[in-house]
Amino acid sequence: VGGTSALASINGLGKAVLVQSGGLQTISGRVRFETLRVQNTLSGSSQITTGNTQINTVLELGSGNLNIANAASLTLLSTSVTHAANINDFGSNDGTLTGNVVAQRYVGGSGNLQHQVGSPVSANLNQFGSTGGTAFVVPLNCDETQLDFSSPYGKVFEWHENVPTSCILEGWQVKGSASPADAAKGYSVYLNGGSTLNVTGAPNLATSYSQSGTRGGYNLPTLQSSGVYTFDAGWNLFSNPFPSGYTYTAQAGYNANGFIYVPTGPFSGSYQPLTPGMILAPFQGIMLQKSNPGGSANYTFSKANRTLSGTTTFFQNSNAETLEIEVSGNGFMDKTQLSFISNSTDQFDTEFDLRKQRSNLGQPTIFTGDNTFPYAMNSKTGIAQTSTVDMGLIPGANGTYTFTVNGINSFDPTSYIYLEDKVTGTYQNLRDNNSYTFSMNNTENVNRFVLHFTPKAEIQAAAATCQNNGQITIEQPGAANWNYTITDNATNVTMAQGTLNSSNPVAVAAPSGVYNITLTDNNGYQVIKNVQVNGQTPIAATMTANTNTAEVDETITLSNTTTGATNQTWDMGNSVQFSTPMVNYSYPAEGVYTVTLSTINADGCAATTTQTITVTQKTATSLNNLTKDKLRVWSYENNVMVDFTKQPGDAVVIIYNLLGQEISNEPYTGNGIYSKELNNNELGYILIKVRQGDKVTTKKLFINQM
């Protein structure tokens, strides 16, 4: 690739690839690549011979070596606070680089501001602006805003955690021009906003870099807090040592969460949480706290955690209920975080919690807990165990401030969240309004606020069985009070409704299915939840028959009308069976038959139902039956039968023996079949008379005992 004195730019979404299996491949002149990949094989090599080669996104060292000659330069560009080019020699890339690079870091803001940074290349701190010799600063009367006249001054400072005895400032050491920038160590550097820091040296591409941290035994008060805030021990200043992004991980010997000092932007001048999973950009400094007093512990930055730098991502427990409360006022912002995580405790957990660090002098600092142990990140086991959490604000200056509460939707909608202001004596429902504005002066009690939580409604569903429905239960701990309605989602039928509170739990039987639960409080706030009742669906067997009386060889039609049936078996009462949904059948002999339908559904639930069918001969005992549009009278064994289905109404059935003596006299009303069983003394011929109004039907029958 040959360039000229004018910049040749090769950019876009693609990449330029140097592929060489033998000989030498060179780059010269001024050229800018969006992405440059070196993919040399066998004896091939690549070299930047002269001029300035610039990388805007990434230099991929796939294989082989890229050499940067002394007469040339390779610049990793940074054009904004969110942009920095990376070197990718990790993962599947195992190429190498020899020579120096220029690593850039764009500086945001305006004017000289303190930045916590490290170096991604091997360099002296004079490239960061250090001058003169090396000595510790000398505070004046422990005043954070003033140094003694004998104190050294400088632009680059190194933090020594184990040095302070009475004043925090005693731990800062001014670095001289000959001091090397140790890989993985962080420094506090005054940089001019709106400019670009350029640091030249061999890039840090080793397998790992480590720094040792300590923890002294002090908790020192600070002037910024007006005597109500202390700086705790164990904080060490490290940095991402690589010319690429780095995924922060927790390590033994250090609390899991740390801090990143924010020099510019909305939260400038404050320390914001660093949590596992966040991606550190090149140059990024971080504050980590050694977990136990005494001795030292190494924190190691490993090549295995390298990545391409991008948007910082916060990986929070997916089921965590988390509030983030921001405060804004006097042109500054700060924030704190409160979470309910089941495997945390209400004490300080090194895995979840983080103690708050004070913002710059004159700026607001918000925290949960109280000022004796303020939290930047505060985890509690659950609302049922901890329903109130103190929250404080050090305003930094008199003024008007606004809280904005984010993350309310991470809580169950049946949990109320209130903000109490102990000065005004007011409670604000944060679901109605997540913003609260108030006035505060710099001398009042900083422990002014309380967050109140109510436990969520506990909804459970027990599974249904073939024999029994399932059950929906709702319990509401705490002071919440609801009007509830439970509706079948499929049919929109209301299953139950009433009042739900701690004294009135709900238990409703329900078959398997999906149900809507609507909860409405006294202010009209409404929560709608779905609940699934699992398990088996019971089955209720039903059938229809076109008649329940028939003559021999007369066809009867039976239909399975059971909802949800997948299989059925018909037993016709005479050892004949069918398995079809509909049966057409004629009985070959008279009798009273009990038809049994057995059904089963997809869940394996079974049910049966029966139907009695009476079958008669076409001719009964030497006398013809009456026509079918009138009564039918016959005998079956020792039973007298009268079919009123063709001629329903009020009737009287009278039975005589052959001597003319009355055996039975019974009224009948309806459209069914009348049946009368006669005893042994009444066997033989009888006379039956059926009177319906002015109509009389008489028939002679023979009765015998089978």
Side-chain angles (χ1 to χ4, degrees), residues 38 75 122-123 159 167 190 289 302 314 323 393 428 468 605 688:
V38 179
T75 301
S122 178
W159 171 246
C167 300
Y190 279 97
Q289 188 176 35
S302 171
F314 172 52
L323 288 185
L393 176 68
Q428 178 165 306
N468 299 296
C605 297
I688 181 169

Side-chain angles (χ1 to χ4, degrees), residues 600-649:
I600 190 169
N601 64 11
D603 290 334
C605 297
T608 62
T609 187
T610 60
Q611 172 74 54
T612 299
I613 304 293
T614 302
V615 180
T616 65
Q617 292 287 353
K618 293 182 182 298
T619 303
T621 319
S622 74
L623 294 176
N624 290 334
N625 282 329
L626 301 176
T627 58
K628 288 190 176 182
D629 60 344
K630 297 184 179 181
L631 293 175
R632 293 202 303 168
V633 181
W634 73 97
S635 63
Y636 174 69
E637 296 179 355
N638 63 331
N639 292 279
V640 175
M641 318 288 287
V642 181
D643 183 359
F644 287 96
T645 59
K646 302 295 184 179
Q647 191 169 303

Side-chain angles (χ1 to χ4, degrees), residues 173-217:
Q173 181 187 32
V174 179
K175 304 301 291 183
S177 59
S179 301
D182 292 340
K185 183 178 287 293
Y187 301 90
S188 179
V189 181
Y190 279 97
L191 298 172
N192 189 30
S195 65
T196 301
L197 174 66
N198 292 271
V199 182
T200 302
N204 295 331
L205 301 177
T207 301
S208 65
Y209 297 91
S210 295
Q211 282 292 332
S212 177
T214 62
R215 179 165 182 165

Side-chain angles (χ1 to χ4, degrees), residues 7 141 299 615:
L7 177 65
N141 299 324
Y299 186 89
V615 180

